[in-house]
Amino acid sequence: MATPTPVAVVCVGMAGSGKTTFMQRINAHLHGNKEPPYVINLDPAVRNVPFDSNIDIRDSVNYKEVMKSYNLGPNGGILTSLNLFATKIDQILNLLEKRTTPDPAKPNTQPIKHILVDTPGQIEVFVWSASGSILLDSLASTFPTVIAYIIDTPRTSSTSTFMSNMLYACSILYKTKLPMILVMNKTDVKDAEFAKEWMTDFESFQAALREEEEAGSFGGMEGAASGMGGGSGYMGSLLNSMSLMLEEFYSHMSMVGVSAMTGAGIDEFFKAVAEKAQEFERDYKPELERRKKQRQEEKKENREKELGKLMKDMAVSGEPSSRPKPNIDPRNDMDTLSDMEEDTDEEAGEEDNDAEHALSQRYKQALTDSGGSKNAADADDNSFTRYLRTSQMNM
C-alpha cells in the first residue's frame, strides 16, 4: 500500500495570538502519538522557540547582520532574511522529499505524516511578500498544504475586532489560494462558541452588533445626544454590510476552538487538517497543476520568440543568398558560363541551407538546455534568484 503524502501545516497569525505556543502544542501532541513531525522555523527574529526545528532560518541567515549590512529596520530585516532564505528553496524541497520518502533499507522507520511551518509574527511580511509566495507555492507544488490562521479569541469578542480578523482571513485565503482553518486560540480564557454562533447565525451577529451600538462601543457623541444609540451608525452599517458579504466565505471555512496552553481541541484541529488535505487534493491541486502547465507553455512560447529574434538578427531566417557571382568574361562560351552559374548558385544555396539548418539547430539546442529538464523547470519556478533575474529581463 502506498504511503500517504505528508501534509504541510503553515501557521500564520497576528503578533500575540499564541502562534508559537500553538506550534509547540501540536508538535508535542504528534510526538505523544508517536508520529514526530518535520518542523521548519521561518521566523529569523525570534530568540528562543519552545520546540526543536529540523530546518531553522536562523541557521542560514543572521537577522541582526542583515539589518546592519543593509541599514534596515525590524520589518525590512525580516523581509530581506526571508528573501535570502528563499534562494535555498530547492535544497529545502530536496531535503523534505528525502525525509518524507520511505527508506527500503529501514522498513521499521516511522514515515513523516506532518510538516509544521512556523512563520514570522509580522504576518503581512510573510503573506504579502514575494519570498512568502515562493515558499508557499513551492511547498504546495510538492505536498498538500493547509494554512492554519491563529486568532486570539479573547481579543475577538467584540464585533469590530471579529470582523477585522474575518476580513484578514478572507484576504489570506484568496492571496494564497490554499485551504484554511480558523484556529480560535486561548479558549481556556474565553470560549469560542460565540464566534461559531456569529459565523453560522446571521441574526445572532446582528443582535450583538445592536447591543454594542446601544452601549456606545463605536463612539460618536452626536448619536447618543440625539437618542439614536451610542454611535453615529456608520460603524454599525459597515459591519452589517461586511457580515452579509462574508456569509458565503463562512460556509467554506473550517473553525476550531483550541487552547495552546491546556491542549484542548487539538484532536479536532488535526481532524480538520485531514479534511482540508482531502479538499486540497480534490479542489486545489488541479488548479495548481493548471497554473504550472500554463507557466511552462508561456516559457516555451517565450523561448520560441527568442529563437525567432536570434535567427533574424543572424540573418539566417531564409533570405536568398547575397553572395557575389564570379566575374567571368561574357565573351567566353555562353553554355559554359550558364552551367557555371547554375552550379555555383546551387552549391551556394546548399551551403546556405546547411549553415542555416545547423545554426538553427544549435540555437534551439542552446535554448532547450537553458530551459532545462522537468526538474530544472521546477527549480526555476521555486528559485528566488532565478525569479528576480527573470523579472529584470522582462523589464
Side-chain angles (χ1 to χ4, degrees):
M1 184 175 66
T3 303
T5 305
V7 181
V9 180
V10 182
C11 296
V12 300
M14 300 287 187
S17 62
K19 177 171 53 61
T20 302
T21 308
F22 175 76
M23 274 282 299
Q24 186 272 338
R25 173 58 64 180
I26 59 177
N27 179 44
H29 178 82
L30 291 173
H31 276 281
N33 291 342
K34 307 299 181 182
E35 297 177 354
Y38 201 83
V39 183
I40 302 175
N41 174 44
L42 296 180
D43 191 350
V46 66
R47 290 188 176 182
N48 299 301
V49 289
F51 51 84
D52 294 329
S53 302
N54 299 96
I55 298 177
D56 199 325
I57 187 175
R58 297 174 298 171
D59 296 335
S60 304
V61 182
N62 190 320
Y63 167 69
K64 291 185 178 180
E65 289 298 325
V66 169
M67 290 178 59
K68 186 184 300 183
S69 300
Y70 296 96
N71 194 24
L72 298 171
N75 289 340
I78 293 174
L79 179 59
T80 304
S81 298
L82 284 172
N83 290 345
L84 294 172
F85 188 72
T87 61
K88 303 178 182 295
I89 188 62
D90 300 340
Q91 302 174 32
I92 296 170
L93 290 180
N94 290 335
L95 191 59
L96 286 174
E97 290 177 350
K98 181 179 179 180
R99 292 293 185 269
T100 56
T101 302
D103 188 357
K106 300 178 180 179
N108 296 327
T109 303
Q110 181 73 14
I112 294 174
K113 296 182 179 180
H114 295 89
I115 300 170
L116 306 182
V117 183
D118 192 18
T119 59
Q122 288 77 356
I123 185 173
E124 66 281 355
V125 172
F126 178 77
V127 174
W128 300 101
S129 64
S131 56
S133 298
I134 290 172
L135 290 167
L136 282 177
D137 291 346
S138 302
L139 200 60
S141 66
T142 310
F143 306 99
T145 305
V146 178
I147 302 293
Y149 180 51
I150 317 301
I151 300 175
D152 189 340
T153 304
R155 295 183 181 178
T156 315
S157 56
S158 68
T159 55
S160 57
T161 54
F162 172 80
M163 190 55 61
S164 298
N165 273 287
M166 294 302 105
L167 287 174
Y168 215 118
C170 183
S171 65
I172 294 173
L173 176 66
Y174 288 103
K175 174 66 172 62
T176 60
K177 297 181 177 64
L178 294 171
M180 177 186 289
I181 301 173
L182 299 179
V183 181
M184 305 297 293
N185 194 18
K186 304 182 183 180
T187 55
D188 55 310
V189 179
K190 184 175 181 59
D191 191 73
E193 286 300 320
F194 75 94
K196 292 182 180 180
E197 188 177 357
W198 286 355
M199 291 177 65
T200 56
D201 187 356
F202 175 75
E203 294 182 357
S204 175
F205 181 81
Q206 294 295 307
L209 184 60
R210 285 194 297 269
E211 290 179 4
E212 292 186 9
E213 283 183 317
E214 293 172 358
S217 300
F218 301 143
M221 298 304 296
E222 295 179 1
S226 60
M228 297 177 61
S232 61
Y234 170 77
M235 180 63 76
S237 176
L238 177 63
L239 293 176
N240 186 31
S241 301
M242 288 191 294
S243 64
L244 287 171
M245 178 193 70
L246 291 177
E247 188 174 5
E248 182 67 20
F249 169 73
Y250 295 150
S251 62
H252 298 283
M253 188 59 52
S254 297
M255 195 198 80
V256 180
V258 304
S259 173
M261 184 63 66
T262 65
I266 300 299
D267 289 329
E268 288 76 8
F269 170 75
F270 280 105
K271 289 180 182 177
V273 168
E275 293 175 358
K276 289 299 178 181
Q278 294 177 359
E279 181 180 335
F280 177 91
E281 295 287 350
R282 183 182 67 249
D283 301 332
Y284 289 83
K285 189 174 181 179
E287 175 64 17
L288 290 174
E289 292 178 348
R290 186 193 65 82
R291 287 189 293 169
K292 182 178 179 180
K293 183 178 179 181
Q294 183 179 359
R295 289 196 299 268
Q296 292 175 347
E297 291 176 352
E298 289 175 355
K299 288 180 183 179
K300 182 179 180 181
E301 183 179 351
N302 290 334
R303 286 198 295 268
E304 291 177 353
K305 288 181 180 180
E306 291 298 325
L307 175 61
K309 291 179 182 179
L310 287 172
M311 300 298 288
K312 184 176 181 180
D313 293 341
M314 298 298 293
V316 291
S317 55
E319 293 85 359
S321 175
S322 58
R323 180 181 298 181
K325 297 180 180 180
N327 185 15
I328 300 178
D329 190 351
R331 291 173 296 179
N332 295 336
D333 186 7
M334 298 302 296
D335 293 338
T336 305
L337 177 61
S338 177
D339 293 340
M340 290 178 63
E341 288 179 347
E342 289 178 0
D343 293 342
T344 303
D345 290 342
E346 289 177 359
E347 293 175 358
E350 291 176 357
E351 292 177 358
D352 289 340
N353 289 333
D354 292 341
E356 176 184 348
H357 179 72
L359 188 57
S360 175
Q361 290 298 322
R362 286 200 298 272
Y363 275 108
K364 286 182 179 179
Q365 183 63 36
L367 288 170
T368 302
D369 293 341
S370 66
S373 62
K374 180 179 183 296
N375 294 331
D378 293 340
D380 185 60
D381 289 339
N382 297 330
S383 174
F384 186 73
T385 303
R386 298 190 187 99
Y387 171 83
L388 290 179
R389 189 178 300 144
T390 305
S391 301
Q392 293 171 358
M393 291 176 63
N394 293 332
M395 290 178 63

